[in-house]
Amino acid sequence: MSFRILRVIVCCVGVLLMHSAHTSAQETLKDPTTGKTSHLQYFIGLYSGLGINLHTAGFGQLPGFPSCCTEYKDNTSLSPVFDALIEVPIMQDLRIQGRLGYTGLGGLLSTQQIIGNEPVIDDGPVPTATRRDVIVEHTLDATLPMIVFEPTIGYRLLDFFWLNAGLRGGYMLSSTFTQSERLFSPEGYTFTDGSTVRNQASGDIPGAVPFQFHGVLGLGYELLTKSRISLVPEVRYYFPFTKIASVDWQVQSFQLGVSLRYGMYTPNDPVVIRDTAYVRDTTVVAKPNLTNDNIFLSSSETAEESRDEGDNRFTTTTITEHYIRETPRPFKPDVRLKFVALSTDDAAIPAESVRVEELDVIENYPLLPQIFFAHNSSALDSSRQIILDRSQAQDFRAMDLTRDQIDVYRNILNVVGYRLQKNPSSSVTITGCVDNLDEEKNNKELARQRAETVKNYLVTAWGIEGERLKVVARTLPQNPANPTTPDGQQENRRVELSSDDMALFEPVEFRDRDLTVSPKVFNLHPTITNGEDINSWDATIRRESSVLLTSSGSGQPTDVRWNADTNGAKPKSAKPVIGTLVVKNLLGQSYSSSDTLNVDYVTLQLMKSREEGGKLVERYSLIVFEFNSATLNPANQRVMERVKQRIRPESKVKIVGFADRQGNPDYNRSLAQRRCEEAQRVLGLSDDRVTIEPVGSDRLVFDNDNPEGRSYSRTVHIEIETPLR
């Protein structure tokens, strides 16, 4: 039997060798339409074949089952084989394969045996027991179906031959047997029980090994088609590593079969052949702020187009570039400049010139005979007073002070010292006060120190004899501010100056020529065309060599606002005002424009010659109304007498009343109204000769964070305007 199997194998190999001249390995596939080549990834398929099992038996009896067999002979059996497979190339000539399927190892074991002097029965007309030599046949029919898993590795010997080697593992689904012993010869005899068969048994094979392992060696021939399907006739040999059972029983196998496989292919990565094409265009643009031509890439667009030819992919990249060539553009903006007058609500009004009229102005700045100190301090440098040394005091003149009420107040000790020098018979009482709270509670010693500090300054800086300066100490002032508020407490920490000689505390009077301007506000208005390249601008308003205003900025010029009524800007002659605008680009190139505003300057002499009449304006501030009071004190009564003498029948009088920030606004307006009416009463003016304006605390005329500012805010301003002919 084994020889016949070997002959079949040899014949199959011969057929495969004959066919090898007419086929080729299907490692790759080419699409006839596109010409693309795909390479093999793996095969999946089915296998069917015939298994030839060679049983090698070295036993005669299964344990536990009686048998007189000495040893079974080797035998051969056939079984079908079915597998599902997957095969994966790992190298050009090397593949791994896995199979999962069904096969069987079962078969019929038999042997004949001569038994001498065996008791038998002659099955004749008259059964007769006798002894004689007999031939018996022992049979053992085993059923061994098995699920197998078979991993192997294949190596290409020639173009189409593959040698496989590996391992097969199997699990026996069942392991049953049937055995018997049959009287084979001579004929016409039975065993003593009258039967020709004895020692019959069946059941599970004792000691069966369910897991079977075999080494695998195979040879296959790859028959390829032009499609993905291929056939592989093959022969395989399985040599056992395990026994069938505990007895000496092994099965080796040959398999003849064929695999039907379907190849899974992946297209080859194309060979990319690249080409690049450029498309360029240039736009010429005239641009400001350039000295030389400038070429730059404005935008770039990339488009890619591909076409496949066989295994080649031809890719063309088209780069479209847009360039801009900038050429210098001359700096020639159209700039026009014009003075435009503005009304009080900032509306434009016609004005070709500004009119300036001279006024004869007398201003009186009253003295506040109070020196305020810091909390719990008697140092004079905490009082905001301007302190002079002896040499500086010798050069002091009240008329040299600026026309500023607070500046006059800060020099009150210097004004009093100056007047004491000029009036040797006059004397001053210096009264020190405290706020009578916390550290200053009943602290008359601190009050005295404050008064002594003022006295020492008048003595050392101004050389006033000490006997002319009387020092008095008290707690709260005679007419204190509100001691319950921080503002009132600050005002009560003071030194008060008083004297029988009221001339010491007369207001400081300034007489000057003042100017009225109309219109008061102008815009220097630029009109720009073709000025996109303007980077910066500078505007100047000047009269002769005097610069009245400068302004600058970046980008496009804007209106420049000029207030002609401020002290530094008021024209003081008929010379015109010239506005100039200079614009520049980034390169520093410039272009300018200007406009002239004529000045109609009218002096007092000119007004008189024209019989237009000038004006004498006198301004008086009455201080200090006491806190929450509308009563004029003696010092203010003295000032009012002077004011009364200055009023002419043709004079226009205006009284404006103010209050400090303490109290609510409605009450402060009422208080200001009473102060205005008190001033009108003392001046003896009828309602048709005076204009009253009670401002109260709606507009604070001085900084109310300081005690002197609040004191000066408790006032009325009297303005007398008298025509001059």
Side-chain angles (χ1 to χ4, degrees), residues 19 81 85 94 100 122 172 226 290 295 389 397 464 473 489 519 526 546 569 629 701 712:
H19 184 73
V81 180
L85 65 86
L94 203 64
L100 179 65
D122 181 3
M172 290 194 296
K226 293 184 178 179
L290 289 182
I295 299 178
D389 58 27
R397 299 292 184 273
I464 309 302
Q489 295 161 12
S546 299
S629 171
V701 289
Y712 275 112

Side-chain angles (χ1 to χ4, degrees), residues 260-465:
L260 177 65
R261 301 180 306 178
Y262 182 82
M264 307 299 290
Y265 291 84
T266 299
N268 289 341
D269 292 334
V271 177
V272 180
I273 301 173
R274 295 187 177 275
D275 188 21
T276 303
Y278 286 88
V279 178
R280 296 184 174 98
D281 62 61
T282 303
T283 302
V284 179
V285 177
K287 188 172 182 180
N289 302 315
L290 289 182
T291 56
N292 300 301
D293 284 1
N294 181 26
I295 299 178
F296 63 91
L297 179 64
S298 156
S299 64
S300 179
E301 300 171 358
T302 301
E304 192 170 86
E305 184 179 84
S306 298
R307 60 183 176 84
D308 291 341
E309 292 184 7
D311 291 336
N312 295 327
R313 176 168 295 168
F314 295 92
T315 299
T316 301
T317 301
T318 302
I319 301 175
T320 303
E321 296 179 337
H322 303 277
Y323 287 86
I324 292 181
R325 178 180 179 181
E326 297 177 338
T327 60
R329 189 181 76 183
F331 183 56
K332 291 183 179 180
D334 184 5
V335 181
R336 286 176 289 176
L337 199 61
K338 182 69 176 176
F339 277 103
V340 178
L342 300 178
S343 64
T344 54
D345 58 355
D346 284 347
I349 55 177
E352 297 297 330
S353 64
V354 57
R355 181 178 175 86
V356 182
E357 296 181 3
E358 284 186 353
L359 296 176
D360 194 2
V361 178
I362 299 175
E363 286 192 281
N364 284 267
Y365 291 91
L367 296 182
L368 173 63
Q370 298 174 359
I371 314 300
F372 301 98
F373 286 82
H375 176 71
N376 201 31
S377 173
S378 61
L380 193 57
D381 56 8
S382 72
S383 68
R384 292 170 51 84
Q385 284 293 304
I386 294 177
I387 302 172
L388 305 178
D389 58 27
R390 189 64 174 267
S391 62
Q392 292 171 327
Q394 291 176 357
D395 297 328
F396 178 83
R397 299 292 184 273
M399 62 284 297
D400 294 334
L401 297 175
T402 59
R403 289 166 59 179
D404 179 87
Q405 181 66 80
I406 299 302
D407 186 52
V408 171
Y409 166 75
R410 294 185 66 197
N411 282 278
I412 184 173
L413 290 180
N414 298 321
V415 172
V416 172
Y418 177 82
R419 291 176 177 176
L420 283 172
Q421 279 187 344
K422 298 300 180 182
N423 299 280
S425 60
S426 300
S427 62
V428 173
T429 298
I430 306 173
T431 303
C433 306
V434 294
D435 62 19
N436 210 27
L437 294 170
D438 301 328
E439 294 92 339
E440 297 193 13
K441 182 73 173 179
N442 297 323
N443 195 344
K444 286 190 176 181
E445 179 57 31
L446 177 60
R448 180 174 297 279
Q449 290 174 5
R450 287 171 174 169
E452 289 289 350
T453 298
V454 173
K455 176 182 177 180
N456 290 338
Y457 178 72
L458 293 174
V459 171
T460 57
W462 288 97
I464 309 302
E465 298 83 354

Side-chain angles (χ1 to χ4, degrees), residues 584-605:
K584 295 181 180 179
N585 63 5
L586 284 172
L587 301 178
Q589 297 170 333
S590 62
Y591 195 86
S592 64
S593 179
S594 62
D595 188 35
T596 299
L597 180 66
N598 293 321
V599 177
D600 182 13
Y601 192 89
V602 184
T603 65
L604 288 173
Q605 292 81 2

Side-chain angles (χ1 to χ4, degrees), residues 31 131 164 168 184 412 522 540 570 654 712 725:
D31 190 315
R131 287 183 176 270
N164 295 89
R168 182 178 75 177
F184 184 76
I412 184 173
F522 291 84
T540 305
K570 289 180 180 179
K654 181 179 181 181
Y712 275 112
R725 298 290 181 183

